Amino acid sequence: MKNDLALLGAESKKFVFAEHGMMIGGASTQASDGGTIPVFDPSSGDQIAVVPEGTVEDVDRAVKAARKAFEDTSWAGLKPAARERLILKLALALEEHAQEFSEIESLNSGRLIMNTRLFDVDLSVDCLRYMAGWATKLHGKTIPVSVPYAPDMDFFAYTTREPVGVVAAITPWNVPLGQAIWKIAPVLAAGCTVVLKPAENTPLTALRFALLAKEIGIPDGVINVVTGYGAVAGAALVSHPDVNKISFTGSTDTGRIIGIEAARNFKKCSLELGGKSPVIILDDADLSQAIPGAAQAILGNHGQNCCAGSRLFVQESIYEEVLAGVAKIVESVKLGPGLDPSSEMGPLVSATQQERVLGYIRSGVEEGAEVVVGNSAIDHPGFYVKPTVLANVTRDMKAVREEIFGPVLSVASFKDTEEAIAKANDTVFGLGASVWTKNIDKVHRMIPRLKVGITWVNTHNVLDIAAPFGGIKNSGIGCELSEEAILQHTNIKSTIVNVD
Ligand code: NAD
C-alpha cells in the first residue's frame, strides 16, 4: 500500500513543502518565539511540514489586525454589493484550485479525496456563494410604535443589522477547510473580520486559503489565521477582550470551557459540539435502503463526523437481518490512503485518535459487548483502524455513552416506537437522528419527540448550506449555515425617531 505523500500532485507538493507562516494583517508571519508544530501524513505517520506555534502575543497581533480591518473603510466601508462580489470572486478562486485544496486536505487529514473534494471544497464554494448573497439582504424592519405614555407625539421606529465586529473562529480536524469556511463565509457577508485558529494537526488548508484570499483582493486583516495549540493560542483568542463573537466547533469538553469564558465577558458565542446520533430502523423500512444507509451513517468520514450515526437501534423482528447486513458492508471496507481513489476508508487523523478509538473498542469488549466485525489496527504504518460493529451493548457502556469519533457502531434492538424514542434520547448529546420507515404517520409522531437539532428520514448526514445545522443539549448552542448563521454575526439595533 502506498502512502498519501507518494500520490500528491505537483501543485499541492509545492505548497506542502514550502515554508508556512501564519496570516496576520496580510503578512505571512512566524511565531513570536520561533516555535513550530509538526504536521503529519496520517497514512504513514511521517512528518510532512511544520507550521508556527502561535503565541499569546501572536494572537494579540492578529486580533489587533482584525480590529483595524473592521474599522477600516477598505472593508467596513465597502458597499454590500462590492462585498458580495469579492466573496463570489473568492468562491471562484477556490473552485479553480479545487484539486489542490482537496489533495492537501486529504494528505493532512487522512480522509478520502472524494470526501475532501465534496465537503471541504465543493460545499465550501457553495457556502461562500450562498453567504455572498446575504451581504445585500441584511435588512431591518420598520415598526409601527404607539408609545402609550406620549399619546400626542409621533415616532418612526426601525431596526438595522450591524456586523458584530471581530470574530474568533476555532475549528476541529475532522473537516478542516469545510468547518473554517462555514465560519468565514458568514463573517465576510456580514462585514465582520476574523481570526481563525485551525486544529493543530490539520492547519494546512486554512493557511493556503488565507493566501488565496489575499491573492484575490480580500483586504489585509479581514482573514487572519493563527496556527497553534488550543490551550495557548485558542485560549488566548477566546479570552481576548477585543473579540466580539466566538464561533467554535469541537468537543463538548472544550466547548464548555469556551462557553464559560464567553459568558464571563458577555461575548456572543456559538458552539457546535459532539454527538452520539441514533439511527432508528423500524420494521416496515425498506431494508435495501436502510441497511446501506445505516452502514454509511457510521462509515462516512471514517466515523469522524459530529453527526455520525454511531448508535443503531433496530426493531426486534428485523434485528438479526439488519445486523448481518450492516456487518457485511462494514467488513468489506477497503482501507487505504485517502489519495488512492480505490480506498474506501483512510487512516484516522493521528496516533492519538487511533489509540483513543481502539481504547473505546477495548472498553466495550471488557464491559461485555460482542465484536461482530473489526476491532483492530492493521499491520501497516499510519493510523488505520478497522471499522467495527459492537452488538450486545447496554446503555451504561462507555462505548455507548461517549462520543468515539471513529468508525465504531453499537447496535441494539427495540420493541416499539416508544422504546426507540426513549433509547434514542438516552444520551447527553442532541445533534442528529435518523428514522427509517415507510410509515409517514410514525415519522410525524416521532420527529417532534427526538431531542436533537437535525432529523433525517430515510437518509442520514445530508447537509445543505440553506438548512440550519446545530445541536441542542451537550451538542451545542446556536447553529451554522443558512440565514440563522448570518444573523448570528449581526447585532440588531433599534432606532426611534421623534417625527413631531
Ligand atoms: P477539540 O475540542 O479538542 O479541539 C477543537 C479546537 O479547539 C482545536 O482547534 C483546538 O486547538 C481548540 N482548543 C482546544 N482547547 C482549547 C481551549 N481551551 N480554548 C480554545 N480553543 C481550544 O476537538 P477535536 O478533537 O479537534 O474535534 C473533534 C470534536 O469536534 C468532536 O467532539 C466532534 O463531535 C466535534 N465536532 C462538532 C461539529 C458540529 O458541527 N457539531 C462538527 C465537527 C466536529
Side-chain angles (χ1 to χ4, degrees):
M1 197 195 292
K2 283 189 173 166
N3 63 33
D4 272 331
L5 202 52
L7 298 161
L8 201 63
E11 197 61 24
S12 313
K13 244 182 205 149
K14 204 165 96 194
F15 173 76
V16 171
F17 293 138
E19 188 190 19
H20 299 293
M22 300 181 284
M23 181 62 81
I24 299 182
S28 178
T29 311
Q30 293 305 313
S32 62
D33 63 3
T36 56
I37 299 178
V39 180
F40 296 94
D41 167 2
S43 74
S44 63
D46 294 341
Q47 184 177 322
I48 48 171
V50 294
V51 297
E53 181 186 345
T55 62
V56 174
E57 194 185 324
D58 297 323
V59 168
D60 184 53
R61 276 191 303 139
V63 174
K64 285 193 170 113
R67 172 61 53 191
K68 183 168 177 295
F70 180 67
E71 307 294 349
D72 195 355
T73 50
S74 63
W75 183 242
L78 272 190
K79 298 283 186 220
R83 225 169 40 239
E84 176 183 3
R85 278 196 296 277
L86 258 185
I87 304 168
L88 290 173
K89 198 170 165 193
L90 187 55
L92 182 62
L94 180 58
E95 195 170 44
E96 286 169 353
H97 288 80
Q99 183 64 17
E100 180 195 349
F101 273 93
S102 313
E103 285 181 10
I104 297 169
E105 198 69 285
S106 187
L107 170 73
N108 191 179
S109 66
R111 293 155 50 235
L112 302 181
I113 179 92
M114 178 191 75
N115 207 20
T116 58
R117 176 64 193 246
L118 276 177
F119 292 102
D120 292 280
V121 180
D122 293 353
L123 207 59
S124 292
V125 170
D126 278 358
C127 183
L128 287 162
R129 291 196 171 127
Y130 172 88
M131 288 297 171
W134 275 109
T136 54
K137 294 163 195 73
L138 286 170
H139 26 68
K141 291 178 178 163
T142 57
I143 305 183
V145 291
S146 304
V147 195
Y149 52 84
D152 299 331
M153 295 180 73
D154 286 323
F155 298 93
F156 172 61
Y158 61 92
T159 58
T160 40
R161 294 248 166 216
E162 299 181 343
V164 290
V166 174
V167 176
I170 300 180
T171 48
W173 44 259
N174 66 321
V175 188
L177 182 66
Q179 298 290 348
I181 303 296
W182 285 18
K183 299 188 183 311
I184 292 172
V187 159
L188 298 178
C192 301
T193 58
V194 66
V195 179
L196 168 71
K197 196 211 77 68
E200 40 273 48
N201 39 14
T202 52
L204 294 183
T205 47
L207 294 174
R208 179 68 189 95
F209 185 76
L211 290 170
L212 190 71
K214 185 174 167 66
E215 278 161 37
I216 66 106
I218 299 285
D220 291 350
V222 172
I223 299 176
N224 305 277
V225 179
V226 174
T227 47
Y229 290 109
V232 179
L237 188 53
V238 166
S239 61
H240 198 291
D242 214 14
V243 163
N244 303 105
K245 173 181 161 57
I246 300 163
S247 178
F248 172 75
T249 301
S251 65
T252 295
D253 287 348
T254 309
R256 186 171 283 114
I257 296 171
I258 290 178
I260 291 168
E261 191 55 41
R264 204 190 305 282
N265 295 296
F266 303 104
K267 287 176 184 162
K268 272 187 187 270
C269 183
S270 56
L271 303 171
E272 299 296 330
L273 309 177
K276 194 78 185 176
S277 299
V279 173
I280 303 167
I281 304 185
L282 304 185
D283 58 6
D284 60 12
D286 174 353
L287 295 189
S288 70
Q289 207 184 22
I291 289 173
Q296 271 320 307
I298 187 64
L299 295 174
N301 213 33
H302 318 171
Q304 304 171 130
N305 267 345
C306 49
C307 47
S310 50
R311 292 181 302 142
L312 172 59
F313 298 108
V314 188
Q315 199 147 12
E316 277 173 356
S317 60
I318 54 166
Y319 175 80
E320 293 300 338
E321 184 181 356
V322 171
L323 178 60
V326 170
K328 192 169 167 209
I329 297 172
V330 170
E331 195 169 29
S332 72
V333 167
K334 178 173 180 266
L335 296 174
L339 282 172
D340 179 343
S342 72
S343 301
E344 292 171 340
M345 182 179 286
L348 303 187
V349 73
S350 62
T352 310
Q353 186 64 4
Q354 182 190 39
E355 187 37 46
R356 185 169 178 268
V357 171
L358 291 170
Y360 271 110
I361 300 171
R362 272 196 305 275
S363 85
V365 173
E366 280 159 20
E367 290 181 291
E370 173 201 348
V371 175
V372 184
V373 291
N375 183 24
S376 65
I378 61 171
D379 186 19
H380 187 271
F383 312 132
Y384 294 92
V385 171
K386 282 188 187 167
T388 299
V389 176
L390 299 177
N392 267 341
V393 294
T394 54
R395 64 178 294 281
D396 46 346
M397 287 177 181
K398 195 168 139 76
V400 172
R401 301 215 69 75
E402 296 181 14
E403 181 184 45
I404 299 176
F405 220 53
V408 182
L409 177 67
S410 67
V411 191
S413 65
F414 63 87
K415 274 194 200 53
D416 52 27
T417 52
E418 278 307 307
E419 192 181 334
I421 292 166
K423 285 186 167 173
N425 286 338
D426 182 20
T427 170
V428 295
F429 297 106
L431 194 51
S434 63
V435 177
W436 299 74
T437 175
K438 286 190 216 145
N439 186 325
I440 194 75
D441 294 345
K442 285 185 189 165
V443 167
H444 287 304
R445 281 200 297 273
M446 288 178 76
I447 297 293
R449 297 180 60 200
L450 291 168
K451 307 282 185 235
V452 293
I454 180 161
T455 47
W456 293 282
V457 178
N458 296 328
T459 188
H460 194 101
N461 265 348
V462 172
L463 304 177
D464 187 83
I465 302 301
F469 181 81
I472 58 173
K473 295 163 69 181
N474 285 16
S475 292
I477 295 173
C479 64
E480 298 206 289
L481 307 179
S482 80
E483 179 182 3
E484 300 294 330
I486 184 97
L487 295 181
Q488 285 172 26
H489 289 79
T490 66
N491 291 324
I492 193 156
K493 180 180 275 178
S494 280
T495 301
I496 300 179
V497 183
N498 177 353
V499 293
D500 265 353

